[in-house]
Amino acid sequence: MPRIPCSGRSTRWGSGSGPPERAPRKWACPRVGPRLPSRGRACADSFRRARPLTREREATPVLELLKDPTYIRYWLAVVASFLGDAVTKITLIYVVATETERPVLYVSLVVVAQLLPSGMLGVFVGPLADRVPARVLMVASDLVRAVLALLMIAVRDEPLPLLALILLSGIGKAFFETARLTAIPLIVRGHGIPTAVALFQSTSHTLNLVGPALGGLLLALGSVPAVFVVDAATFVASALLLGSMAVLREVPVPGGDREPYWRALRTGLSGVLATPSLRFLAVVLVPVMLALGLFTTNLNSQLLNVFRLTPFDYGLAQAAFGAGSVAGALLGPPLVRRLSDGRLLSWSVALFGASLLLLAPTGPLHDAVGITPVLLWCLLSGLGSGLFQVPIAHTLLGDLPAHLRGRGVGLFNSLMVNVTVLGALLGAVTADLTGITASLTLTGVLLLPAAALIAVTGPRAAISARETSATAAAPKG
């Protein structure tokens, strides 16, 4: 019997999660492999019988993933690099806030210098990530940032040279992040992408809490130069771990260096946006990341200026938000097993929006009973903001063609960073016009229709993706 042509795997936005990128052979349909059939009743029956088992494989338990020595080395390297970023962030803010004549201006410029390169350069790093091994980009980025951290010691009292070094360090991070995300499918071969994404996100959320605390402790116990030396050491440790990983030596697209850079950039972007699920995801990200940027800007103001929390209560609130973010990231993989990515994204966005609406009664409850309602609100909002990032990353890494992965990651990383920064600016404006609480509540009101739109239009993107894949797979002539 001739093999029946099959479509791609883009069922994530439909009624159920599709099979993983690399399903175990013993569960694959003998005629279609681990892909969704576009036609043919026999293959459809075989796929339905195999599907529950492949979905189990898709969400690998965290403990199983942590037993993989290759993944452990990669995870430790990323932890070291993330820790260096977190310590650097709090140290630089402390330096410009205490040793410059215009602290408010320079703190803002530090934040912009750290974020701007990822937003502006991510798209342009993508073609390099598709033709240069991830190990080269990540190790070079870590070593360059280690040198820059040491150079910051000499210019810590001079704002403009310091900002120039911060900008260069941000450029290094743009290269590191694009290569890191592109390499995840290489690292987790045989395991589930959702679990790997969730573990990285929960680690990032944890380090965002631990890193500033560690930086503050080092500043209290030592000196600013000592903190920069520790920062450089974390980048060197990350480079040594990444340099020892043979899997990162693989060239993502063999022979890709024959295509001119600008042509590769154009064809990559058009190829990524030609995928219906990714095109839909790009549209969805705009309101979601705008809301996240607005929320990030006004969260601290809400806690300190509206709720007027004491330093101790403020620390508890930040810990509650971080715990919710970690819980949301870790809940993602088991939910991916049971829901499509589109449905999980719509539910998590709705949860995030509902948490912002619940801010209105939280204020009176805080006045009546104390800190507990604020902690519960922080936990719920952290859960929503951590959960919706899992289906986004899963769809992105799962539906990107392997030869376009670097360019796709660079495009979406730039989109998310730029829209988040725009949301942060809008957050400051709307907080001045309507008040901090009203600004956050209005954001929640706007997120609920966005969640409904995702739920309604997501399956259409999946149907379009299947039709496109079926057309490509159909025999010619």
Side-chain angles (χ1 to χ4, degrees):
M1 178 182 296
R3 177 171 175 165
I4 299 175
C6 302
S7 71
R9 63 180 181 282
S10 298
T11 62
R12 294 190 176 94
W13 295 89
S15 59
S17 175
E21 188 173 354
R22 296 179 180 84
R25 288 186 179 180
K26 61 181 179 180
W27 301 120
C29 171
R31 280 167 290 212
V32 298
R35 293 184 181 272
L36 179 68
S38 58
R39 58 184 183 269
R41 188 183 185 99
C43 285
D45 292 340
S46 299
F47 177 78
R48 279 193 290 269
R49 287 194 297 269
R51 184 178 180 182
L53 296 170
T54 58
R55 288 173 65 187
E56 266 187 14
R57 184 61 175 171
E58 177 93 7
T60 307
V62 173
L63 291 179
E64 180 182 338
L65 191 61
L66 290 176
K67 293 178 183 178
D68 187 333
T70 299
Y71 181 82
I72 282 292
R73 274 191 292 167
Y74 186 69
W75 180 74
L76 288 175
V78 173
V79 165
S81 187
F82 279 6
L83 186 60
D85 287 333
V87 171
T88 300
K89 182 183 299 184
I90 190 65
T91 304
L92 291 171
I93 290 175
Y94 172 82
V95 168
V96 299
T98 58
E99 300 188 16
T100 61
E101 297 178 355
R102 305 174 68 183
V104 176
L105 172 64
Y106 284 114
V107 167
S108 301
L109 290 177
V110 165
V111 175
V112 170
Q114 290 173 332
L115 292 176
L116 185 64
S118 294
M120 299 300 294
L121 298 180
V123 172
F124 301 102
V125 176
L128 297 178
D130 277 334
R131 64 178 68 186
V132 179
R135 188 177 73 155
V136 174
L137 294 178
M138 297 176 74
V139 171
S141 171
D142 276 333
L143 293 178
V144 168
R145 286 186 291 170
V147 173
L148 292 173
L150 296 177
L151 291 176
M152 290 177 188
I153 298 174
V155 298
R156 65 185 185 276
D157 297 327
E158 303 175 33
L160 294 181
L162 183 61
L163 285 171
L165 293 179
I166 294 171
L167 189 64
L168 291 175
S169 183
I171 293 174
K173 184 178 179 180
F175 279 84
F176 183 90
E177 281 297 291
T178 303
R180 177 184 73 83
L181 292 170
T182 304
I184 287 178
L186 294 176
I187 299 295
V188 300
R189 285 172 178 167
H191 299 292
I193 288 179
T195 304
V197 169
L199 189 55
F200 278 124
Q201 286 181 343
S202 60
T203 300
S204 176
H205 292 312
T206 302
L207 291 176
N208 284 338
L209 293 175
V210 174
L214 178 60
L217 180 62
L218 291 173
L219 287 172
L221 296 178
S223 62
V224 171
V227 177
F228 282 123
V229 170
V230 172
D231 182 23
T234 62
F235 290 128
V236 172
S238 173
L240 291 175
L241 287 169
L242 293 170
S244 66
M245 299 183 65
V247 68
L248 296 180
R249 300 175 185 174
E250 296 184 21
V251 178
V253 185
D257 56 347
R258 302 191 189 118
E259 189 176 21
Y261 172 85
W262 293 108
R263 184 186 302 170
L265 179 62
R266 289 194 303 271
T267 57
L269 296 183
S270 61
V272 169
L273 295 178
T275 305
S277 60
L278 298 179
R279 189 167 60 246
F280 177 75
L281 182 62
V283 175
V284 165
L285 280 175
V286 173
V288 173
M289 300 311 293
L290 274 175
L292 183 62
L294 190 148
F295 172 79
T296 303
T297 297
N298 291 328
L299 174 61
N300 290 327
S301 299
Q302 178 71 32
L303 297 177
L304 295 173
N305 300 331
V306 179
F307 292 147
R308 297 186 181 279
L309 300 184
T310 65
F312 179 75
D313 288 344
Y314 175 71
L316 289 179
Q318 288 286 358
F321 178 78
S325 299
V326 172
L330 294 178
L331 282 173
L335 290 176
V336 164
R337 294 175 59 189
R338 294 167 176 81
L339 303 170
S340 67
D341 279 353
R343 185 176 299 176
L344 178 58
L345 180 59
S346 65
W347 286 10
S348 57
V349 170
L351 174 63
F352 188 39
S355 71
L356 298 183
L357 293 178
L358 290 174
L359 180 60
T362 300
L365 288 174
H366 171 245
D367 295 335
V369 301
I371 188 63
T372 302
V374 176
L375 296 181
L376 292 176
W377 177 77
C378 289
L379 185 68
L380 184 62
S381 59
L383 181 67
S385 65
L387 184 59
F388 76 73
Q389 298 178 51
V390 175
I392 289 175
H394 183 209
T395 301
L396 177 61
L397 294 177
D399 286 359
L400 271 173
H403 67 286
L404 298 177
R405 192 168 287 141
R407 283 162 282 185
V409 167
L411 171 64
F412 278 88
N413 195 33
S414 290
L415 176 65
M416 289 188 286
V417 172
N418 288 328
V419 175
T420 302
V421 171
L422 179 59
L425 296 175
L426 288 176
V429 173
T430 55
D432 287 338
L433 294 176
T434 64
I436 298 169
T437 302
S439 175
L440 289 171
T441 305
L442 179 61
T443 303
V445 171
L446 297 177
L447 277 178
L448 294 181
L453 184 64
I454 295 170
V456 171
T457 58
R460 297 179 185 176
I463 293 172
S464 179
R466 289 196 296 270
E467 290 176 349
T468 301
S469 299
T471 301
K476 302 221 177 10

